[in-house]
Amino acid sequence: MQTGKYNTLTVERRVDFGVYLSDNEGNEVLLPARYVPEDINTGDSIKVFVYNDSEDRPVATTEIPYAQVGEFAYLQVVDVNRIGAFLDWGIPQKHLLVPFSEQKVKMRPGGIYLVYVYLDHETGRVVATAKINKYLGNVPPEYTPGQKVRALVYQHSDLGYKAIVDNLFDGLFYENELTRPLEVEEVVDAYVKYVRPDGKIDLSLPGAALDRIQALAEKITARLERNGGAMPLGDNSSPEEIRRSFDCSKKDFKRALSYLYKRHTIEITPHGIKKTVN
């Protein structure tokens, strides 16, 4: 049974104030009566979230928290006292503590902050920290280009938008490659472009690269039409020539040529490209 996470448990027995659930090792936890489905019976399985109540007793709920142990989330401060800040994490009976020692800046009521949820093994309590960097990149990423991931956008920089990838790694969407603006706090499906030697990951939005290449291919086709079906730019042209003509990188230009060539739209010659004669 994992505290601070979802668990699939078995109904062990009923009591007046709820049902006791157990795991395969015989550990038990109470699911209070208000969360017990009407049609559940002894021996049935149920998925619940397990946490410690205000008296540090394990308790189960069918409420869905905004984040479980091992996840990052933006959460709002509902109270601050001498211990630290308390966050609304979707469990009405229990707010999530961020000790003062785990705050990057002093948290204030009503503020929304990015935190990482973890289990304090000394106290057995689920708590959160705003010092997120120590929980990123602790294992080598094993992604391949094109692999789908989930990304939580958390900062806008000069290069683009920083994002947390699959609750494990630091990633980046480059501004000049985006087909739409992103929002801090937004969670998006994304694709891995490249895993850097430092373990950080370059990301793209679904369809972003293909959309960009298709748009560039259309521009090249239109230019060929205007130029009588031929153009002196090709694989061997300099990046500067390509940038002046199409305002794109040589890498994207070559991808667009490949896109058109595979569709038998152009021929590539030693002197550039020309439109295929049907």
Side-chain angles (χ1 to χ4, degrees):
M1 190 179 303
Q2 294 182 294
T3 302
K5 291 193 173 186
Y6 297 105
N7 295 259
T8 299
L9 304 176
T10 302
V11 178
E12 191 68 27
R13 67 184 189 279
R14 284 185 175 270
V15 292
D16 292 340
F17 43 87
V19 298
Y20 277 95
L21 310 175
S22 67
D23 63 12
N24 293 333
E25 297 177 355
N27 300 304
E28 289 191 342
V29 64
L30 174 68
L31 178 65
R34 62 179 171 274
Y35 301 123
V36 178
E38 292 183 2
D39 58 348
I40 201 164
N41 298 300
T42 301
D44 289 348
S45 295
I46 183 172
K47 184 177 180 181
V48 294
F49 182 75
V50 177
Y51 67 100
N52 290 334
D53 65 13
S54 56
E55 297 181 12
D56 285 336
R57 298 172 302 189
V59 65
T61 180
T62 53
E63 299 276 3
I64 300 173
Y66 301 135
Q68 61 176 330
V69 165
E71 294 181 345
F72 296 83
Y74 278 91
L75 301 177
Q76 187 169 29
V77 177
V78 293
D79 189 26
V80 176
N81 64 17
R82 60 183 179 80
I83 301 174
F86 290 84
L87 311 177
D88 174 13
W89 67 324
I91 306 295
Q93 289 72 34
K94 177 77 171 180
H95 295 315
L96 185 63
L97 171 66
V98 183
F100 286 119
S101 61
E102 295 297 331
Q103 299 177 23
K104 292 174 67 176
V105 297
K106 187 176 181 180
M107 292 183 169
R108 302 186 181 279
I112 297 174
Y113 302 89
L114 175 62
V115 296
Y116 177 79
V117 182
Y118 69 100
L119 184 65
D120 185 338
H121 292 288
E122 291 186 8
T123 64
R125 297 172 182 169
V126 179
V127 291
T129 178
K131 298 178 179 179
I132 65 170
N133 289 336
K134 58 185 176 182
Y135 294 99
L136 291 172
N138 292 324
V139 293
E142 297 182 352
Y143 296 112
T144 56
Q147 189 169 340
K148 189 176 182 179
V149 296
R150 290 284 278 171
L152 168 61
V153 181
Y154 73 93
Q155 186 179 340
H156 187 208
S157 69
D158 292 339
L159 290 176
Y161 290 87
K162 293 183 178 181
I164 296 168
V165 180
D166 287 343
N167 290 294
L168 288 171
F169 307 105
D170 218 343
L172 180 67
F173 293 95
Y174 287 95
E175 184 101 54
N176 62 356
E177 297 178 356
L178 292 174
T179 55
R180 67 171 180 86
L182 293 171
E183 298 288 340
V184 171
E185 301 184 34
E186 184 178 2
V187 179
V188 297
D189 289 325
Y191 291 96
V192 172
K193 283 183 55 188
Y194 176 67
V195 178
R196 295 186 236 161
D198 62 3
K200 295 182 179 179
I201 300 167
D202 293 344
L203 300 167
S204 65
L205 289 174
L210 180 59
D211 290 346
R212 190 174 69 250
I213 298 308
Q214 287 177 332
L216 179 56
E218 290 176 4
K219 288 173 66 175
I220 293 171
T221 302
R223 182 74 60 86
L224 285 171
E225 293 283 355
R226 293 198 301 269
N227 289 357
M231 187 167 59
L233 287 178
D235 281 353
N236 297 323
S237 300
S238 70
E240 292 75 22
E241 288 179 294
I242 293 168
R243 178 72 65 181
R244 281 196 302 270
S245 296
F246 289 99
D247 191 26
C248 69
S249 67
K250 183 170 182 176
K251 184 176 181 180
D252 275 1
F253 183 74
K254 291 178 71 173
R255 285 177 175 173
L257 294 188
S258 177
Y259 176 89
L260 292 170
Y261 180 78
K262 289 176 180 178
R263 284 157 181 77
H264 308 289
T265 304
I266 63 168
E267 294 178 19
I268 299 174
T269 74
H271 307 292
I273 60 174
K274 64 179 183 179
K275 186 178 177 183
T276 301
V277 178
N278 294 325

